[in-house]
Amino acid sequence: MRSKRGFLSNCSPTHEFIFSMALLSIIKQFLTPDKKNLDLSNQKIGDKGAVTLSKSKSIKRLKKLMLPNNDISDEGIIAIVNSENFKHLTDLDIYGNVISDDGVKAIAESPYMSNLKKLSLYGNLVEDEGAIAIAESQVLLKLKHLFITSNRIRREGIEALKKAKCRTRLCHLHVDDLKDF
């Protein structure tokens, strides 16, 4: 039996149907019976997989989505956060991808992300602009846990996040230490 790890990222564009069917099969395999949790960690689905996932009707009740280490960039996360299918999400784990400020701003502005309580962005490409977007977001008002270490955030972004924490919105904030800059 062929390993699913890395399988999806190797599909050529001429195999769209096969790719979609393979991803739907993986979703079915890793979706909990109550359809509230989906863990696709390390599946290397990439942006194409994220876009396909955003259109899947089987995930409308999803509360927790885990997509670490999947080669997802801004294109993929923008498709996900702009999909009404994810309006019930409370926990989004997207660490170890290649998401930058544009993707983070999309998260911070999407009305479908208004129920997020936990967001893990560890090890992406987020800079000050993305951190400030989260800190000033009028959508992420329920966000209590933010994991955003090992990005490219400097003093301005860290201070904005710490101010948001002082306003009691973020109870658990994990950022790099300012002394490192």
Side-chain angles (χ1 to χ4, degrees), residues 128 149 153-163 175-181:
D128 286 343
T149 56
I153 302 168
R154 299 292 182 234
R155 184 172 303 278
E156 186 180 1
I158 290 172
E159 288 176 353
L161 289 169
K162 286 185 175 182
K163 283 181 189 173
V175 294
D176 293 315
D177 195 336
L178 277 175
K179 293 177 209 154
D180 295 339
F181 305 106

Side-chain angles (χ1 to χ4, degrees), residues 35-47:
K35 297 187 178 187
K36 291 185 179 180
N37 298 298
L38 178 61
D39 184 354
L40 294 178
S41 301
N42 306 309
Q43 296 297 319
K44 304 293 184 201
I45 66 170
D47 290 328

Side-chain angles (χ1 to χ4, degrees), residues 116-181:
L116 274 187
K117 294 179 183 175
K118 180 182 172 200
L119 177 60
S120 179
L121 285 161
Y122 171 87
N124 277 280
L125 304 173
V126 183
E127 297 184 16
D128 286 343
E129 196 175 334
I132 292 167
I134 291 172
E136 297 177 352
S137 175
Q138 296 302 305
V139 173
L140 300 176
L141 298 177
K142 296 179 182 177
L143 189 64
K144 300 290 183 199
H145 302 268
L146 177 62
F147 301 89
I148 198 163
T149 56
S150 297
N151 276 281
R152 298 174 175 177
I153 302 168
R154 299 292 182 234
R155 184 172 303 278
E156 186 180 1
I158 290 172
E159 288 176 353
L161 289 169
K162 286 185 175 182
K163 283 181 189 173
K165 180 177 172 100
C166 290
R167 293 190 308 254
T168 69
R169 191 176 99 206
L170 290 168
C171 298
H172 303 281
L173 174 62
H174 301 270
V175 294
D176 293 315
D177 195 336
L178 277 175
K179 293 177 209 154
D180 295 339
F181 305 106

Side-chain angles (χ1 to χ4, degrees), residues 109-120:
E109 296 169 0
S110 172
Y112 304 124
M113 296 292 107
S114 65
N115 288 312
L116 274 187
K117 294 179 183 175
K118 180 182 172 200
L119 177 60
S120 179

